[in-house]
């Protein structure tokens, strides 16, 4: 009898232990996104609606993300690369194809943006657009006018012509710490193909950057937002949405700082930041639920209203703040769109040249 009771008790304990994970296991999605790139209340609302906890980390350059992904075992379920980087990472086997049967909100996406993304990810098999924008110039209107003697919107020469950059040195210049954004901008300034891989062209870009390097206060891919908003610097090469955040923070502070954004007339880069799921993602089902939630028109509109970036969801436009939808710096006119260029991933040889070039410029060595 005693042995029977023990056997029954042991069986019961075993059954409870086997069942325990079903009751105790917390549903989680690990997200890795750019700094200052979402309204945190969206994450809270997602958890309330789905019961899935969001563990949210940030980065400030594609290079940082790529290093983690290529090393493997990042632990992330959803990441947000710029799709030109993602193309190279797809070839390296970093991502898994999306299960579109679990993404019914794909019907809300904007065909124009989907087509742009598909030029890097054919068939949109691995990615869904989150936001898109341009790389241009954010500036303190009054300080730049005082330094350059004009109230015209600055073009690339404000940063890359040493005579003009020298005038802006004292009030402060920041540039993205990202060669894949800065070097094509220099090539556009020089009237060369922004996507040139010709070593002679890249050397010309390096010479320009080396010449203006003494006038650049810092290379950083997120600090320029607060620096511009606070009036600590007067001009920065950066991402459009970041500049609009700086503009609005300055306006809210009401400290006399006026920030504006310029898409240079020589042409500027258009980029697409997309959702992707790493091949070794530990929570694939939750990743799909998160991406699908973000494609709800009212949700992605809330994100755009917060970060001041255009999104790839056509159905969301009815929910966008008028100041966002009607701002041609966010949703450009057809004339401006015609001057924008995309930047494809570099081949390994060119990548090595650009990496060395950039290190030399940034370190001054």
């Amino acid at each position: 009898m005693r042995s029977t009771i023990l056997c029954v008790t042991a069986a019961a304990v075993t059954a409870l232990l086997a069942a325990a994970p079903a009751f105790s296991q917390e549903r989680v999605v690990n997200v890795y996104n750019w700094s200052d790139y979402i309204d945190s209340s969206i994450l809270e609302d997602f958890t309330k609606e789905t019961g899935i906890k969001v563990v949210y980390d940030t980065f400030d350059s594609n290079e940082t993300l790529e290093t983690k992904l290529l090393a493997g075992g990042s632990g992330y379920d959803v990441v947000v690369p710029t799709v030109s980087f993602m193309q190279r990472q797809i070839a390296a086997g970093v991502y898994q194809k999306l299960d579109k049967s679990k993404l019914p909100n794909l019907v809300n996406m904007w065909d124009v943006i989907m087509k742009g993304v598909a030029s890097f990810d054919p068939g949109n098999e691995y990615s869904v657009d989150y936001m898109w924008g341009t790389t241009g110039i954010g500036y303190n209107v009054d300080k730049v006018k005082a330094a350059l003697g004009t109230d015209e919107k600055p073009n690339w020469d404000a940063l890359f012509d040493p005579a003009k950059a020298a005038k802006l040195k004292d009030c402060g210049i920041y540039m993205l710490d990202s060669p894949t954004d800065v070097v094509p901008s220099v090539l556009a300034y020089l009237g060369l193909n922004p996507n040139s891989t010709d070593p002679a062209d890249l050397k010309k870009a390096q010479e320009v950057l080396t010449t203006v390097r003494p006038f650049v206060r810092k290379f950083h891919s997120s600090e320029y937002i607060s620096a511009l908003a606070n009036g600590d610097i007067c001009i920065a090469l950066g991402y459009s949405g970041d500049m609009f955040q700086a503009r609005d923070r300055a306006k809210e502070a009401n400290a006399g700082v006026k920030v504006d954004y310029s898409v240079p007339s020589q042409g500027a880069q258009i980029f697409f930041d997309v959702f992707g799921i790493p091949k070794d993602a530990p929570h694939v089902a939750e990743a799909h639920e998160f991406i699908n939630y973000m494609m709800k028109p009212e949700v992605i509109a809330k994100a755009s209203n917060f970060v001041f970036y255009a999104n790839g969801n056509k159905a969301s436009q009815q929910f966008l703040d008028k100041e966002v939808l009607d701002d041609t710096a966010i949703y450009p006119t057809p004339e401006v769109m015609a001057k924008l260029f995309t930047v494809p991933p570099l081949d390994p040889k060119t990548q090595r040249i650009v990496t060395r070039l950039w290190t030399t410029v940034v370190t001054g060595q």
Side-chain angles (χ1 to χ4, degrees):
M1 184 68 175
R2 182 182 175 88
S3 63
T4 301
I5 292 172
L6 286 172
C7 288
V8 170
T9 303
V13 170
T14 300
L16 284 170
L17 288 174
F23 293 102
S24 64
Q25 188 173 17
E26 185 179 41
R27 298 186 73 202
V28 175
V29 62
N30 299 312
V31 180
Y32 199 33
N33 197 358
W34 293 81
S35 304
D36 301 300
Y37 213 22
I38 199 167
D39 183 336
S40 61
S41 68
I42 291 174
L43 307 179
E44 296 164 6
D45 292 343
F46 172 73
T47 299
K48 289 176 186 175
E49 181 170 318
T50 65
I52 299 171
K53 177 184 176 182
V54 182
V55 178
Y56 192 85
D57 293 335
T58 62
F59 57 89
D60 63 9
S61 77
N62 273 296
E63 289 80 5
T64 298
L65 171 61
E66 182 167 81
T67 298
K68 286 204 173 189
L69 292 176
L70 292 178
S74 69
Y76 292 114
D77 303 301
V78 178
V79 295
V80 190
T82 301
V83 75
S84 56
F85 271 73
M86 189 190 206
Q87 182 181 29
R88 180 169 62 202
Q89 295 156 7
I90 290 171
V94 166
Y95 296 97
Q96 57 182 274
K97 289 185 179 181
L98 300 174
D99 183 347
K100 294 183 181 180
S101 69
K102 296 179 180 177
L103 302 173
N105 287 330
L106 276 172
V107 297
N108 299 318
M109 300 305 289
W110 191 357
D111 58 345
V112 172
I113 301 304
M114 292 279 279
K115 184 178 179 181
V117 171
S119 64
F120 300 95
D121 172 20
N124 304 98
E125 292 190 320
Y126 295 89
S127 65
V128 175
D129 184 74
Y130 173 50
M131 299 286 169
W132 60 274
T134 54
T135 300
I137 299 172
Y139 64 104
N140 182 308
V141 174
D142 296 326
K143 288 186 176 181
V144 168
K145 180 179 180 179
L148 298 183
T150 177
D151 55 8
E152 292 183 3
K153 283 180 175 282
N155 280 311
W156 290 131
D157 56 348
L159 295 173
F160 302 137
D161 178 346
K164 292 185 177 181
K167 294 178 180 179
L168 296 167
K169 176 187 176 183
D170 291 340
C171 62
I173 298 173
Y174 271 31
M175 289 189 188
L176 288 169
D177 187 8
S178 172
T180 51
D181 292 300
V182 178
V183 172
S185 302
V186 178
L187 293 172
Y189 158 72
L190 292 171
L192 300 171
N193 177 2
N195 296 321
S196 177
T197 59
D198 184 338
D201 289 345
L202 295 174
K203 184 172 178 58
K204 290 175 183 177
Q206 180 176 353
E207 289 169 353
V208 168
L209 289 168
T210 300
T211 303
V212 300
R213 175 65 182 92
F215 312 128
V216 180
R217 186 177 298 178
K218 195 169 190 178
F219 292 89
H220 199 280
S221 294
S222 61
E223 287 184 8
Y224 61 86
I225 302 174
S226 57
L228 268 176
N230 297 336
D232 297 334
I233 62 172
C234 62
I235 194 165
L237 190 164
Y239 305 122
S240 55
D242 290 352
M243 303 308 184
F244 302 136
Q245 287 187 50
R247 178 190 65 187
D248 288 359
R249 289 183 193 179
K251 192 181 297 182
E252 290 167 8
N254 197 28
V257 177
K258 183 180 179 182
V259 175
D260 202 353
Y261 178 68
S262 173
V263 180
S265 61
Q266 299 99 328
Q269 180 184 171
I270 181 173
F271 60 84
F272 306 96
D273 290 336
V274 298
F275 292 120
I277 303 177
K279 198 166 190 175
D280 57 0
H283 310 102
V284 177
E286 289 79 1
H288 281 87
E289 286 188 59
F290 181 81
I291 294 172
N292 193 58
Y293 180 82
M294 292 302 301
M295 287 190 289
K296 286 187 173 184
E298 64 275 20
V299 172
I300 197 65
K302 187 176 184 179
S304 277
N305 290 336
F306 181 82
V307 301
F308 291 90
Y309 275 93
N311 69 68
N313 189 307
K314 185 69 171 178
S316 75
Q317 294 186 11
Q318 62 179 308
F319 300 104
L320 291 173
D321 290 345
K322 185 176 175 61
E323 64 175 327
V324 172
L325 184 60
D326 292 349
D327 190 332
T328 55
I330 301 175
Y331 284 89
T333 64
E335 293 77 20
V336 173
M337 289 288 285
K339 294 182 179 180
L340 302 180
F341 55 83
T342 57
V343 177
L346 300 173
D347 62 84
K349 180 182 177 181
T350 305
Q351 183 65 58
R352 286 192 294 272
I353 293 173
V354 170
T355 299
R356 285 197 300 268
L357 173 165
W358 191 249
T359 301
T360 300
V361 168
V362 172
T363 62
Q365 299 174 355

